[in-house]
Amino acid sequence: FSLIFNGVDTQVFQCYLDHLAENVPAKPSKRYILILDNASWHKSKSLNWHHFEPHFLPPYSPDFNPIERLWLRLKSDFFSDFISPSLDVLNERLCAALCHFMRSSQTVASQCAFRK
């Protein structure tokens, strides 16, 4: 699930959580855990987490954050030779890249898997 905003703060993150809760409804037999970095907007006391449990990574731990590996793949596959003439074109390219990964669960799993 993803949304595109021009910036991020607690209000934007709450909007994301609200939409996520609508798109990923609670099921009584499941736990929903969000792994988060320590951005200030992730730690606001005013956040409504809905049915999600926040779990925070240690400070400065990109090696533990699987999304970092996915962002590297996204940049390499979709943006290495791309110069956008406008914000709209950039957003279209980003949406296409995100949709590609959302349809490719095996690619995402292989990029984000932890190896022992």
Side-chain angles (χ1 to χ4, degrees):
F1 179 80
S2 89
L3 297 171
I4 297 176
F5 293 95
N6 288 332
V8 67
D9 59 16
T10 300
Q11 206 171 4
V12 168
F13 186 57
Q14 184 61 65
C15 179
Y16 173 80
L17 290 172
D18 295 343
H19 285 280
L20 182 63
E22 288 175 16
N23 285 275
V24 181
K27 292 183 182 171
S29 61
K30 288 197 172 201
R31 287 177 68 193
Y32 295 87
I33 298 172
L34 291 178
I35 306 296
L36 304 156
D37 62 19
N38 287 281
S40 60
W41 53 83
H42 291 156
K43 294 201 162 196
S44 173
K45 302 257 187 251
S46 66
L47 289 171
N48 174 358
W49 290 97
H50 300 281
H51 52 279
F52 302 102
E53 297 175 42
H55 288 268
F56 296 96
L57 293 168
Y60 190 72
S61 55
D63 292 343
F64 294 142
N65 192 348
I67 196 68
E68 296 297 334
R69 291 188 292 280
L70 191 61
W71 286 128
L72 288 173
R73 178 74 186 264
L74 182 135
K75 286 189 258 184
S76 130
D77 290 359
F78 292 91
F79 293 97
S80 64
D81 61 350
F82 178 76
I83 298 173
S84 178
S86 71
L87 183 58
D88 288 339
V89 173
L90 177 63
N91 280 337
E92 285 175 24
R93 181 77 161 229
L94 179 58
C95 287
L98 292 171
C99 286
H100 167 78
F101 283 119
M102 284 186 226
R103 288 188 303 268
S104 306
S105 59
Q106 287 183 329
T107 300
V108 172
S110 72
Q111 291 297 302
C112 295
F114 285 101
R115 290 177 176 77
K116 294 181 182 182

